[in-house]
Amino acid sequence: MGSILLVAELQKGKIREATYELVSFARKLAEGTGRQVHSLVLGASAGGPAEELAKRGGGQVHLAEDASLEHYQLDPFLKVVQAAVDAASPDVVLLSNTPTGWDLAPRLAAARDAAFVSDCFDLQVQGESLVFLRRLFNGKLDARMVPTLPVVATMQPGATAAFEGSSQGQVSKLDAGLAGVESRTEFVEVREAEKKGVDLTKASIIVSGGRSLGGPEKFQEVIKPLADALGGAMGASRPVVDAGWLPHAYQVGSSGQVVSPKLYIAAGISGAIQHLVGMKSSNYIIAINKDPDAPIFEVADLGVVADLFEVVPALTKAVKEAKA
Amino acid sequence: MKILVCLKQVPHADARLDVRPDGSWIQEENIKFEINSYDTYALEEALRIKDAGGAEVVVASIGPDRVTQALRTALGMGADRAIHVKDPEAEGSDALGVAKILAAVAKAESPDVVLMGLMADDGNFAAVGPMLAELIGVPHTTTALKLEKANGTFTVQRELEGGALEVVKLGAPCLITVQTGTNQVRYASLKGIMAAKKKPIETRTVADLGLAGQVGAGAAKVRVEKIYPPPKGEGAEILKGSTDEVVAKLMGKIKELGLL
Ligand SMILES: Cc1cc2nc3c(=O)[nH]c(=O)nc-3n(C[C@H](O)[C@H](O)[C@H](O)COP(=O)(O)OP(=O)(O)OC[C@H]3O[C@@H](n4cnc5c(N)ncnc54)[C@H](O)[C@@H]3O)c2cc1C
Ligand SMILES: Nc1ncnc2c1ncn2[C@@H]1O[C@H](COP(=O)(O)O)[C@@H](O)[C@H]1O
C-alpha cells in the first residue's frame, strides 16, 4: 500500500489553515487504512513552517526551499511535487482546492496518469476503495466518486475542522533538482483587492439578489427598495456582477466580500458554496427561492418557497408601512 | 495566430435536474442544453483577439448529436471552424479521458493558444484545462479575468481569493482557462448565423484520433458510484401560507431581531 502525501500551502510565510484541514483528512484516512502520512512544504524560506507542520500532524515532512518557490509558478512547483511523489510513493495525494491547488493538481494527475477528483468535502474508506464526496451542478447535487489508485484529490477549504493535535513528525530536505529549471510561466505580482464603492462588511442588513433577477433594472425596482426601506445595503451573487448589472463591490462570496450582517436576505440565489462562504456566518438568514430544494435553504434560518417578484415587493411595502 | 477553444454543452442553468433511477447521472431527456457559461467567455476572448488582429478560431466539442447546436452557435458568433468529436466510445470518459481526446485534436491543429473554461457547470471539475496542457506539453494558467497579448506573450490577470489578482506571463504556445465575467459575451447576429451555415463542422471518432480503447467509460479512472440530492440537514424553517401571511411572519421576525 502507498502512503498519503499532502501538499502544504504557505500564505504570508505561514502554513495555511486549509493545510491543517488536509492533515485532518489525511489522519482520518491513515487511521482507517494504516497508510503513513507525508507532507510537502515548499517555498523560498520554509524551514520554520515545515517544523510547525511536523509538530502538528504533518507526519514525515519533506522540505523544499528555493528562490524560485517564493511565489506559485507552475514549472518549479510541479517539479517539486513530482520529486516528493517519487520520495514518498503515495497512492493518495491531497491538495487544497485553492487557486494554487486547482492550477497544479489536475496537471500533476495528468503527468502521473493518475485519477483525479476535485473540490471534495469528505472522503471515506469503503473496503479496499476510497470514496470521495463532492458537489455537482454548483451545489444542486452530490456525488460519491470512486477513483482507482493512485489518486490526486483537492479538498474544499472549510469542509472539515483543522487538525489541532500534536505529533512527532520529522523534517527532511527534499532535493527536487530545481537547478536549471526554467519556469515557462512568470509570476509578476499579486494585486490585493481594491476597496472602492460600497463596503458591505459594515452593513447590518444586506438584501442580495441573484441571476434570476434577470437584469440591472430589476435590482433597482425590486432589491434596492427593500434594502432602502430596511436601512440596509444591496448585495449580489457573482453572475449579477459578471453580467455587469452591478459593480464588483456588491458581490458576496469567495471572490467578493465576506459579510456577516445581523440580517442577510437572499432572493433568487441558489446557494453555491462560493456564495455561501461569503454569507453563512450572518447572524440571521432569510432565503426566498422558488425551488424548495435550493441549497440556500440549508444555511438559512427562515425560508420562503415562492416567486421573489411577489414576496419582495410585498415585504418592502410592509416595512415602509411599519416605519411610516 | 490560431486559437483552439474547447466548448462543453451542459444542461441549461434553469433546467430541472432529476437523477436517473440508477443514480449514474441526471436525466438528459427533455431538458434544454446550452454552452457552458465559462466557455462562452473563453470563446469571446478568442473572438476579440481575432477582431483585433486576425486569428483563426477553431472550436472543438466532445458530445452527442445535440452538441451540433452549440457548435453552430459558436460559428454564428464568429468562430471559423468546428470539430465535433461524436462517438459513443467517448461517452463516460472521466476528465483525463476528455483531456486525452482534446489533446489528440490539439496536436492535429497545433494552435498557438488553447482557451478553455475554468470549469464546466455540470461536473464542476475544473480539471480538463491543466490536464490538456500537460498532455500537449505547453504551459498554462487558470482563472483568467483579463488577457493581453503582445509579441506572442500573454499577460494574464488570474483571480485569487477575495478579489485579489495575480499577474502571470506566459508565451505561446500555451493554454489559458477563463473565469466568468471576463468580458461581455456577444450574441450571434442574424448575419453571423447565416454565414455559419456555410462553415464546416468536421466530425471525428475516437478511432480517428488514434485513441480506441484508451478513453470512454471503460478507461475511466474515476467511477461515479452515485449522484443524489444533497441530504437535508435541519435547514430553514419554511414559512407557509399566502404572500400576505408569509410577509406578516417575516415582519414579525424582523421586529423580533430588533431591526425595525
Ligand atoms: C472560483 C469561483 C469563484 C466564485 N465566486 C463567487 C462569489 O464570490 N459569489 C457568488 O455568488 N458566486 C461565486 N461563484 C459562482 C457560483 O459557483 C455560482 O455559479 C453562483 O453563486 C450562482 O449564482 P445564483 O445563485 O445567482 O444563480 P443560480 O445558481 O443560477 O441560481 C438562481 C436561483 O434563482 C432561483 N429562482 C429563479 N427564479 C426565481 C424567482 N422568480 N423567485 C425566486 N427564486 C427564483 C432558482 O431556483 C435558483 O435557485 C464562483 C465560482 C467559482 C468557480
Ligand atoms: N466534452 C467536452 N468537450 C469540449 N470541451 C470540454 C468538454 N468537457 C470539458 N471541456 C473543457 O474543459 C473545461 C473544464 O471542464 P471540467 O474540467 O469538466 O470542469 C470546460 O470549460 C471546457 O472548456
Side-chain angles (χ1 to χ4, degrees), chain A residues 140 210-212 237-239 251-256 268-270 272 274-275 289-291 306-309, chain B residues 38 119 179:
Chain A
K140 288 164 201 134
R211 186 181 62 82
S212 54
S237 65
R238 179 168 186 136
Q251 185 178 315
V252 173
S254 62
S255 53
I269 292 179
S270 62
Q274 296 90 351
H275 189 80
N289 195 304
K290 66 178 184 189
D291 174 7
D307 186 344
L308 74 93
F309 293 107
Chain B
Y38 295 80
M119 72 180 192
Q179 171 63 303

PDB file of all heavy atoms in Angstrom, chain A residues 140 210-212 237-239 251-256 268-270 272 274-275 289-291 306-309, chain B residues 38 119 179, ligand 1:
ATOM      1  N   LYS A 140     -26.171  21.768  -6.525  1.00  0.00           N
ATOM      2  CA  LYS A 140     -27.531  21.242  -6.564  1.00  0.00           C
ATOM      3  C   LYS A 140     -27.585  19.731  -6.363  1.00  0.00           C
ATOM      4  O   LYS A 140     -28.615  19.200  -5.952  1.00  0.00           O
ATOM      5  CB  LYS A 140     -28.209  21.650  -7.881  1.00  0.00           C
ATOM      6  CG  LYS A 140     -28.543  23.148  -7.872  1.00  0.00           C
ATOM      7  CD  LYS A 140     -28.851  23.711  -9.249  1.00  0.00           C
ATOM      8  CE  LYS A 140     -28.660  25.212  -9.275  1.00  0.00           C
ATOM      9  NZ  LYS A 140     -27.926  25.692 -10.431  1.00  0.00           N
ATOM     10  N   GLY A 210     -29.941  37.428  -7.044  1.00  0.00           N
ATOM     11  CA  GLY A 210     -29.134  36.543  -7.878  1.00  0.00           C
ATOM     12  C   GLY A 210     -29.441  36.667  -9.356  1.00  0.00           C
ATOM     13  O   GLY A 210     -30.149  37.588  -9.790  1.00  0.00           O
ATOM     14  N   ARG A 211     -28.925  35.702 -10.115  1.00  0.00           N
ATOM     15  CA  ARG A 211     -29.055  35.671 -11.574  1.00  0.00           C
ATOM     16  C   ARG A 211     -30.505  35.763 -12.015  1.00  0.00           C
ATOM     17  O   ARG A 211     -30.845  36.345 -13.043  1.00  0.00           O
ATOM     18  CB  ARG A 211     -28.427  34.371 -12.086  1.00  0.00           C
ATOM     19  CG  ARG A 211     -28.352  34.225 -13.591  1.00  0.00           C
ATOM     20  CD  ARG A 211     -27.737  32.893 -13.977  1.00  0.00           C
ATOM     21  NE  ARG A 211     -28.518  31.765 -13.511  1.00  0.00           N
ATOM     22  CZ  ARG A 211     -29.590  31.288 -14.148  1.00  0.00           C
ATOM     23  NH1 ARG A 211     -29.987  31.815 -15.284  1.00  0.00           N
ATOM     24  NH2 ARG A 211     -30.255  30.274 -13.639  1.00  0.00           N
ATOM     25  N   SER A 212     -31.387  35.181 -11.192  1.00  0.00           N
ATOM     26  CA  SER A 212     -32.788  35.102 -11.586  1.00  0.00           C
ATOM     27  C   SER A 212     -33.476  36.464 -11.638  1.00  0.00           C
ATOM     28  O   SER A 212     -34.578  36.569 -12.159  1.00  0.00           O
ATOM     29  CB  SER A 212     -33.535  34.195 -10.612  1.00  0.00           C
ATOM     30  OG  SER A 212     -33.333  34.650  -9.291  1.00  0.00           O
ATOM     31  N   SER A 237     -25.088  37.974  -6.102  1.00  0.00           N
ATOM     32  CA  SER A 237     -24.256  36.808  -6.405  1.00  0.00           C
ATOM     33  C   SER A 237     -23.382  37.142  -7.614  1.00  0.00           C
ATOM     34  O   SER A 237     -23.569  38.160  -8.281  1.00  0.00           O
ATOM     35  CB  SER A 237     -25.129  35.588  -6.715  1.00  0.00           C
ATOM     36  OG  SER A 237     -25.861  35.816  -7.909  1.00  0.00           O
ATOM     37  N   ARG A 238     -22.473  36.256  -7.892  1.00  0.00           N
ATOM     38  CA  ARG A 238     -21.482  36.538  -8.940  1.00  0.00           C
ATOM     39  C   ARG A 238     -22.053  36.748 -10.344  1.00  0.00           C
ATOM     40  O   ARG A 238     -21.609  37.663 -11.054  1.00  0.00           O
ATOM     41  CB  ARG A 238     -20.446  35.410  -8.953  1.00  0.00           C
ATOM     42  CG  ARG A 238     -19.421  35.628 -10.027  1.00  0.00           C
ATOM     43  CD  ARG A 238     -18.220  34.732  -9.917  1.00  0.00           C
ATOM     44  NE  ARG A 238     -17.276  35.170 -10.940  1.00  0.00           N
ATOM     45  CZ  ARG A 238     -15.984  35.311 -10.751  1.00  0.00           C
ATOM     46  NH1 ARG A 238     -15.449  35.027  -9.588  1.00  0.00           N
ATOM     47  NH2 ARG A 238     -15.211  35.723 -11.727  1.00  0.00           N
ATOM     48  N   PRO A 239     -22.999  35.910 -10.792  1.00  0.00           N
ATOM     49  CA  PRO A 239     -23.482  36.117 -12.165  1.00  0.00           C
ATOM     50  C   PRO A 239     -24.031  37.529 -12.408  1.00  0.00           C
ATOM     51  O   PRO A 239     -23.980  38.034 -13.531  1.00  0.00           O
ATOM     52  CB  PRO A 239     -24.606  35.075 -12.313  1.00  0.00           C
ATOM     53  CG  PRO A 239     -24.277  34.016 -11.320  1.00  0.00           C
ATOM     54  CD  PRO A 239     -23.624  34.726 -10.167  1.00  0.00           C
ATOM     55  N   GLN A 251     -20.552  42.194  -4.814  1.00  0.00           N
ATOM     56  CA  GLN A 251     -20.535  40.731  -4.877  1.00  0.00           C
ATOM     57  C   GLN A 251     -20.201  40.103  -3.529  1.00  0.00           C
ATOM     58  O   GLN A 251     -19.198  40.422  -2.901  1.00  0.00           O
ATOM     59  CB  GLN A 251     -19.525  40.255  -5.909  1.00  0.00           C
ATOM     60  CG  GLN A 251     -19.537  38.743  -6.106  1.00  0.00           C
ATOM     61  CD  GLN A 251     -18.557  38.328  -7.181  1.00  0.00           C
ATOM     62  OE1 GLN A 251     -18.498  38.947  -8.246  1.00  0.00           O
ATOM     63  NE2 GLN A 251     -17.772  37.307  -6.907  1.00  0.00           N
ATOM     64  N   VAL A 252     -21.054  39.192  -3.115  1.00  0.00           N
ATOM     65  CA  VAL A 252     -20.839  38.445  -1.872  1.00  0.00           C
ATOM     66  C   VAL A 252     -20.327  37.058  -2.246  1.00  0.00           C
ATOM     67  O   VAL A 252     -20.884  36.405  -3.123  1.00  0.00           O
ATOM     68  CB  VAL A 252     -22.159  38.333  -1.082  1.00  0.00           C
ATOM     69  CG1 VAL A 252     -21.994  37.423   0.125  1.00  0.00           C
ATOM     70  CG2 VAL A 252     -22.633  39.716  -0.643  1.00  0.00           C
ATOM     71  N   GLY A 253     -19.249  36.627  -1.579  1.00  0.00           N
ATOM     72  CA  GLY A 253     -18.767  35.277  -1.840  1.00  0.00           C
ATOM     73  C   GLY A 253     -17.265  35.163  -1.811  1.00  0.00           C
ATOM     74  O   GLY A 253     -16.569  36.113  -1.468  1.00  0.00           O
ATOM     75  N   SER A 254     -16.781  33.990  -2.202  1.00  0.00           N
ATOM     76  CA  SER A 254     -15.350  33.690  -2.082  1.00  0.00           C
ATOM     77  C   SER A 254     -14.498  34.628  -2.934  1.00  0.00           C
ATOM     78  O   SER A 254     -13.361  34.902  -2.586  1.00  0.00           O
ATOM     79  CB  SER A 254     -15.076  32.245  -2.479  1.00  0.00           C
ATOM     80  OG  SER A 254     -15.426  32.038  -3.828  1.00  0.00           O
ATOM     81  N   SER A 255     -15.037  35.119  -4.031  1.00  0.00           N
ATOM     82  CA  SER A 255     -14.264  36.058  -4.842  1.00  0.00           C
ATOM     83  C   SER A 255     -14.827  37.472  -4.728  1.00  0.00           C
ATOM     84  O   SER A 255     -14.536  38.332  -5.554  1.00  0.00           O
ATOM     85  CB  SER A 255     -14.208  35.592  -6.304  1.00  0.00           C
ATOM     86  OG  SER A 255     -15.500  35.355  -6.800  1.00  0.00           O
ATOM     87  N   GLY A 256     -15.631  37.702  -3.704  1.00  0.00           N
ATOM     88  CA  GLY A 256     -16.161  39.037  -3.446  1.00  0.00           C
ATOM     89  C   GLY A 256     -15.991  39.358  -1.968  1.00  0.00           C
ATOM     90  O   GLY A 256     -14.932  39.126  -1.405  1.00  0.00           O
ATOM     91  N   GLY A 268     -33.638  34.719  -4.713  1.00  0.00           N
ATOM     92  CA  GLY A 268     -33.299  34.135  -6.016  1.00  0.00           C
ATOM     93  C   GLY A 268     -31.828  33.795  -6.140  1.00  0.00           C
ATOM     94  O   GLY A 268     -31.225  33.976  -7.188  1.00  0.00           O
ATOM     95  N   ILE A 269     -31.259  33.308  -5.043  1.00  0.00           N
ATOM     96  CA  ILE A 269     -29.855  32.858  -5.044  1.00  0.00           C
ATOM     97  C   ILE A 269     -29.868  31.378  -4.668  1.00  0.00           C
ATOM     98  O   ILE A 269     -30.487  30.989  -3.673  1.00  0.00           O
ATOM     99  CB  ILE A 269     -29.014  33.686  -4.047  1.00  0.00           C
ATOM    100  CG1 ILE A 269     -28.906  35.130  -4.565  1.00  0.00           C
ATOM    101  CG2 ILE A 269     -27.643  33.060  -3.838  1.00  0.00           C
ATOM    102  CD1 ILE A 269     -28.116  36.060  -3.658  1.00  0.00           C
ATOM    103  N   SER A 270     -29.183  30.536  -5.496  1.00  0.00           N
ATOM    104  CA  SER A 270     -29.305  29.085  -5.292  1.00  0.00           C
ATOM    105  C   SER A 270     -28.546  28.592  -4.068  1.00  0.00           C
ATOM    106  O   SER A 270     -28.981  27.660  -3.406  1.00  0.00           O
ATOM    107  CB  SER A 270     -28.831  28.340  -6.537  1.00  0.00           C
ATOM    108  OG  SER A 270     -27.463  28.610  -6.774  1.00  0.00           O
ATOM    109  N   ALA A 272     -24.721  28.277  -4.068  1.00  0.00           N
ATOM    110  CA  ALA A 272     -23.469  27.591  -4.408  1.00  0.00           C
ATOM    111  C   ALA A 272     -22.468  27.857  -3.291  1.00  0.00           C
ATOM    112  O   ALA A 272     -22.518  28.911  -2.651  1.00  0.00           O
ATOM    113  CB  ALA A 272     -22.928  28.110  -5.742  1.00  0.00           C
ATOM    114  N   GLN A 274     -19.496  28.835  -3.227  1.00  0.00           N
ATOM    115  CA  GLN A 274     -18.723  30.084  -3.302  1.00  0.00           C
ATOM    116  C   GLN A 274     -19.539  31.281  -2.828  1.00  0.00           C
ATOM    117  O   GLN A 274     -18.977  32.281  -2.411  1.00  0.00           O
ATOM    118  CB  GLN A 274     -18.232  30.346  -4.731  1.00  0.00           C
ATOM    119  CG  GLN A 274     -17.258  29.323  -5.265  1.00  0.00           C
ATOM    120  CD  GLN A 274     -17.941  28.172  -5.967  1.00  0.00           C
ATOM    121  OE1 GLN A 274     -19.156  28.035  -5.932  1.00  0.00           O
ATOM    122  NE2 GLN A 274     -17.156  27.327  -6.617  1.00  0.00           N
ATOM    123  N   HIS A 275     -20.858  31.195  -2.905  1.00  0.00           N
ATOM    124  CA  HIS A 275     -21.679  32.261  -2.340  1.00  0.00           C
ATOM    125  C   HIS A 275     -21.816  32.054  -0.828  1.00  0.00           C
ATOM    126  O   HIS A 275     -21.685  33.002  -0.046  1.00  0.00           O
ATOM    127  CB  HIS A 275     -23.058  32.318  -3.000  1.00  0.00           C
ATOM    128  CG  HIS A 275     -23.840  33.535  -2.607  1.00  0.00           C
ATOM    129  ND1 HIS A 275     -23.634  34.768  -3.179  1.00  0.00           N
ATOM    130  CD2 HIS A 275     -24.797  33.726  -1.662  1.00  0.00           C
ATOM    131  CE1 HIS A 275     -24.427  35.668  -2.602  1.00  0.00           C
ATOM    132  NE2 HIS A 275     -25.140  35.054  -1.688  1.00  0.00           N
ATOM    133  N   ASN A 289     -36.750  31.634  -2.457  1.00  0.00           N
ATOM    134  CA  ASN A 289     -36.382  30.927  -3.676  1.00  0.00           C
ATOM    135  C   ASN A 289     -37.551  30.064  -4.105  1.00  0.00           C
ATOM    136  O   ASN A 289     -38.225  29.470  -3.262  1.00  0.00           O
ATOM    137  CB  ASN A 289     -35.144  30.053  -3.428  1.00  0.00           C
ATOM    138  CG  ASN A 289     -34.493  29.588  -4.723  1.00  0.00           C
ATOM    139  OD1 ASN A 289     -35.151  28.966  -5.566  1.00  0.00           O
ATOM    140  ND2 ASN A 289     -33.219  29.896  -4.880  1.00  0.00           N
ATOM    141  N   LYS A 290     -37.802  29.985  -5.406  1.00  0.00           N
ATOM    142  CA  LYS A 290     -38.973  29.209  -5.822  1.00  0.00           C
ATOM    143  C   LYS A 290     -38.700  27.708  -5.875  1.00  0.00           C
ATOM    144  O   LYS A 290     -39.634  26.921  -5.999  1.00  0.00           O
ATOM    145  CB  LYS A 290     -39.534  29.736  -7.143  1.00  0.00           C
ATOM    146  CG  LYS A 290     -38.652  29.564  -8.336  1.00  0.00           C
ATOM    147  CD  LYS A 290     -39.378  30.092  -9.583  1.00  0.00           C
ATOM    148  CE  LYS A 290     -38.541  29.826 -10.811  1.00  0.00           C
ATOM    149  NZ  LYS A 290     -39.041  30.481 -12.009  1.00  0.00           N
ATOM    150  N   ASP A 291     -37.423  27.320  -5.750  1.00  0.00           N
ATOM    151  CA  ASP A 291     -37.078  25.899  -5.749  1.00  0.00           C
ATOM    152  C   ASP A 291     -36.932  25.403  -4.306  1.00  0.00           C
ATOM    153  O   ASP A 291     -35.996  25.797  -3.601  1.00  0.00           O
ATOM    154  CB  ASP A 291     -35.762  25.704  -6.509  1.00  0.00           C
ATOM    155  CG  ASP A 291     -35.253  24.275  -6.441  1.00  0.00           C
ATOM    156  OD1 ASP A 291     -35.973  23.397  -5.920  1.00  0.00           O
ATOM    157  OD2 ASP A 291     -34.126  24.036  -6.914  1.00  0.00           O
ATOM    158  N   ALA A 306     -41.144  30.650  -2.864  1.00  0.00           N
ATOM    159  CA  ALA A 306     -42.085  31.475  -3.626  1.00  0.00           C
ATOM    160  C   ALA A 306     -41.342  32.296  -4.659  1.00  0.00           C
ATOM    161  O   ALA A 306     -40.107  32.331  -4.681  1.00  0.00           O
ATOM    162  CB  ALA A 306     -42.825  32.412  -2.673  1.00  0.00           C
ATOM    163  N   ASP A 307     -42.126  32.968  -5.496  1.00  0.00           N
ATOM    164  CA  ASP A 307     -41.582  33.866  -6.505  1.00  0.00           C
ATOM    165  C   ASP A 307     -41.128  35.152  -5.819  1.00  0.00           C
ATOM    166  O   ASP A 307     -41.919  35.831  -5.159  1.00  0.00           O
ATOM    167  CB  ASP A 307     -42.686  34.164  -7.530  1.00  0.00           C
ATOM    168  CG  ASP A 307     -42.182  34.981  -8.708  1.00  0.00           C
ATOM    169  OD1 ASP A 307     -41.084  35.572  -8.602  1.00  0.00           O
ATOM    170  OD2 ASP A 307     -42.897  35.031  -9.723  1.00  0.00           O
ATOM    171  N   LEU A 308     -39.858  35.476  -5.956  1.00  0.00           N
ATOM    172  CA  LEU A 308     -39.330  36.663  -5.278  1.00  0.00           C
ATOM    173  C   LEU A 308     -40.022  37.940  -5.760  1.00  0.00           C
ATOM    174  O   LEU A 308     -40.122  38.916  -5.015  1.00  0.00           O
ATOM    175  CB  LEU A 308     -37.816  36.770  -5.487  1.00  0.00           C
ATOM    176  CG  LEU A 308     -37.266  37.194  -6.845  1.00  0.00           C
ATOM    177  CD1 LEU A 308     -37.046  38.702  -6.910  1.00  0.00           C
ATOM    178  CD2 LEU A 308     -35.968  36.495  -7.139  1.00  0.00           C
ATOM    179  N   PHE A 309     -40.499  37.916  -7.032  1.00  0.00           N
ATOM    180  CA  PHE A 309     -41.130  39.123  -7.574  1.00  0.00           C
ATOM    181  C   PHE A 309     -42.478  39.409  -6.904  1.00  0.00           C
ATOM    182  O   PHE A 309     -43.022  40.491  -7.044  1.00  0.00           O
ATOM    183  CB  PHE A 309     -41.287  39.016  -9.097  1.00  0.00           C
ATOM    184  CG  PHE A 309     -39.961  39.006  -9.808  1.00  0.00           C
ATOM    185  CD1 PHE A 309     -39.467  37.832 -10.374  1.00  0.00           C
ATOM    186  CD2 PHE A 309     -39.187  40.159  -9.882  1.00  0.00           C
ATOM    187  CE1 PHE A 309     -38.230  37.821 -11.014  1.00  0.00           C
ATOM    188  CE2 PHE A 309     -37.939  40.151 -10.520  1.00  0.00           C
ATOM    189  CZ  PHE A 309     -37.465  38.974 -11.082  1.00  0.00           C
TER     190      PHE A 309
ATOM    191  N   TYR B  38     -18.688  29.353 -18.577  1.00  0.00           N
ATOM    192  CA  TYR B  38     -17.268  29.720 -18.593  1.00  0.00           C
ATOM    193  C   TYR B  38     -16.722  29.713 -20.027  1.00  0.00           C
ATOM    194  O   TYR B  38     -15.915  30.554 -20.404  1.00  0.00           O
ATOM    195  CB  TYR B  38     -16.464  28.733 -17.743  1.00  0.00           C
ATOM    196  CG  TYR B  38     -16.815  28.762 -16.273  1.00  0.00           C
ATOM    197  CD1 TYR B  38     -17.936  28.100 -15.781  1.00  0.00           C
ATOM    198  CD2 TYR B  38     -16.015  29.451 -15.363  1.00  0.00           C
ATOM    199  CE1 TYR B  38     -18.260  28.119 -14.429  1.00  0.00           C
ATOM    200  CE2 TYR B  38     -16.324  29.476 -14.011  1.00  0.00           C
ATOM    201  CZ  TYR B  38     -17.457  28.813 -13.552  1.00  0.00           C
ATOM    202  OH  TYR B  38     -17.758  28.845 -12.209  1.00  0.00           O
ATOM    203  N   MET B 119     -14.094  25.852 -15.544  1.00  0.00           N
ATOM    204  CA  MET B 119     -14.739  24.592 -15.208  1.00  0.00           C
ATOM    205  C   MET B 119     -16.073  24.481 -15.924  1.00  0.00           C
ATOM    206  O   MET B 119     -16.587  25.469 -16.453  1.00  0.00           O
ATOM    207  CB  MET B 119     -14.923  24.429 -13.700  1.00  0.00           C
ATOM    208  CG  MET B 119     -15.967  25.299 -13.061  1.00  0.00           C
ATOM    209  SD  MET B 119     -16.009  24.929 -11.279  1.00  0.00           S
ATOM    210  CE  MET B 119     -17.499  25.769 -10.830  1.00  0.00           C
ATOM    211  N   GLN B 179     -12.232  32.540 -16.472  1.00  0.00           N
ATOM    212  CA  GLN B 179     -13.245  32.666 -15.423  1.00  0.00           C
ATOM    213  C   GLN B 179     -14.455  33.416 -16.002  1.00  0.00           C
ATOM    214  O   GLN B 179     -14.330  34.123 -17.015  1.00  0.00           O
ATOM    215  CB  GLN B 179     -12.600  33.417 -14.250  1.00  0.00           C
ATOM    216  CG  GLN B 179     -13.483  33.860 -13.115  1.00  0.00           C
ATOM    217  CD  GLN B 179     -14.140  32.723 -12.358  1.00  0.00           C
ATOM    218  OE1 GLN B 179     -14.854  31.910 -12.940  1.00  0.00           O
ATOM    219  NE2 GLN B 179     -13.946  32.685 -11.053  1.00  0.00           N
TER     220      GLN B 179
HETATM  221  C1  LIG C   1     -13.601  30.295  -8.371  1.00  0.00           C
HETATM  222  C2  LIG C   1     -15.031  30.684  -8.266  1.00  0.00           C
HETATM  223  C3  LIG C   1     -15.386  31.776  -7.508  1.00  0.00           C
HETATM  224  C4  LIG C   1     -16.737  32.141  -7.376  1.00  0.00           C
HETATM  225  N1  LIG C   1     -17.048  33.208  -6.578  1.00  0.00           N
HETATM  226  C5  LIG C   1     -18.345  33.508  -6.349  1.00  0.00           C
HETATM  227  C6  LIG C   1     -18.701  34.572  -5.447  1.00  0.00           C
HETATM  228  O1  LIG C   1     -17.848  35.260  -4.879  1.00  0.00           O
HETATM  229  N2  LIG C   1     -20.026  34.814  -5.252  1.00  0.00           N
HETATM  230  C7  LIG C   1     -21.015  34.083  -5.864  1.00  0.00           C
HETATM  231  O2  LIG C   1     -22.201  34.367  -5.625  1.00  0.00           O
HETATM  232  N3  LIG C   1     -20.695  33.096  -6.728  1.00  0.00           N
HETATM  233  C8  LIG C   1     -19.393  32.790  -6.992  1.00  0.00           C
HETATM  234  N4  LIG C   1     -19.084  31.798  -7.889  1.00  0.00           N
HETATM  235  C9  LIG C   1     -20.168  31.241  -8.733  1.00  0.00           C
HETATM  236  C10 LIG C   1     -21.009  30.171  -8.054  1.00  0.00           C
HETATM  237  O3  LIG C   1     -20.421  28.909  -8.289  1.00  0.00           O
HETATM  238  C11 LIG C   1     -22.442  30.155  -8.629  1.00  0.00           C
HETATM  239  O4  LIG C   1     -22.397  29.964 -10.018  1.00  0.00           O
HETATM  240  C12 LIG C   1     -23.256  31.421  -8.332  1.00  0.00           C
HETATM  241  O5  LIG C   1     -23.166  31.735  -6.949  1.00  0.00           O
HETATM  242  C13 LIG C   1     -24.711  31.218  -8.722  1.00  0.00           C
HETATM  243  O6  LIG C   1     -25.415  32.432  -8.613  1.00  0.00           O
HETATM  244  P1  LIG C   1     -27.003  32.481  -8.455  1.00  0.00           P
HETATM  245  O7  LIG C   1     -27.410  31.769  -7.207  1.00  0.00           O
HETATM  246  O8  LIG C   1     -27.409  33.895  -8.607  1.00  0.00           O
HETATM  247  O9  LIG C   1     -27.539  31.719  -9.770  1.00  0.00           O
HETATM  248  P2  LIG C   1     -28.151  30.258  -9.946  1.00  0.00           P
HETATM  249  O10 LIG C   1     -27.295  29.225  -9.322  1.00  0.00           O
HETATM  250  O11 LIG C   1     -28.459  30.126 -11.376  1.00  0.00           O
HETATM  251  O12 LIG C   1     -29.494  30.303  -9.091  1.00  0.00           O
HETATM  252  C14 LIG C   1     -30.624  31.033  -9.415  1.00  0.00           C
HETATM  253  C15 LIG C   1     -31.679  30.686  -8.367  1.00  0.00           C
HETATM  254  O13 LIG C   1     -32.814  31.527  -8.535  1.00  0.00           O
HETATM  255  C16 LIG C   1     -33.991  30.772  -8.271  1.00  0.00           C
HETATM  256  N5  LIG C   1     -35.108  31.482  -8.926  1.00  0.00           N
HETATM  257  C17 LIG C   1     -35.314  31.642 -10.271  1.00  0.00           C
HETATM  258  N6  LIG C   1     -36.386  32.433 -10.485  1.00  0.00           N
HETATM  259  C18 LIG C   1     -36.876  32.788  -9.260  1.00  0.00           C
HETATM  260  C19 LIG C   1     -37.963  33.588  -8.827  1.00  0.00           C
HETATM  261  N7  LIG C   1     -38.766  34.221  -9.695  1.00  0.00           N
HETATM  262  N8  LIG C   1     -38.182  33.719  -7.493  1.00  0.00           N
HETATM  263  C20 LIG C   1     -37.371  33.089  -6.601  1.00  0.00           C
HETATM  264  N9  LIG C   1     -36.330  32.326  -6.955  1.00  0.00           N
HETATM  265  C21 LIG C   1     -36.073  32.175  -8.269  1.00  0.00           C
HETATM  266  C22 LIG C   1     -33.681  29.397  -8.823  1.00  0.00           C
HETATM  267  O14 LIG C   1     -34.490  28.430  -8.195  1.00  0.00           O
HETATM  268  C23 LIG C   1     -32.194  29.248  -8.452  1.00  0.00           C
HETATM  269  O15 LIG C   1     -32.045  28.643  -7.182  1.00  0.00           O
HETATM  270  C24 LIG C   1     -17.760  31.407  -8.042  1.00  0.00           C
HETATM  271  C25 LIG C   1     -17.386  30.306  -8.811  1.00  0.00           C
HETATM  272  C26 LIG C   1     -16.045  29.938  -8.926  1.00  0.00           C
HETATM  273  C27 LIG C   1     -15.690  28.728  -9.721  1.00  0.00           C
END
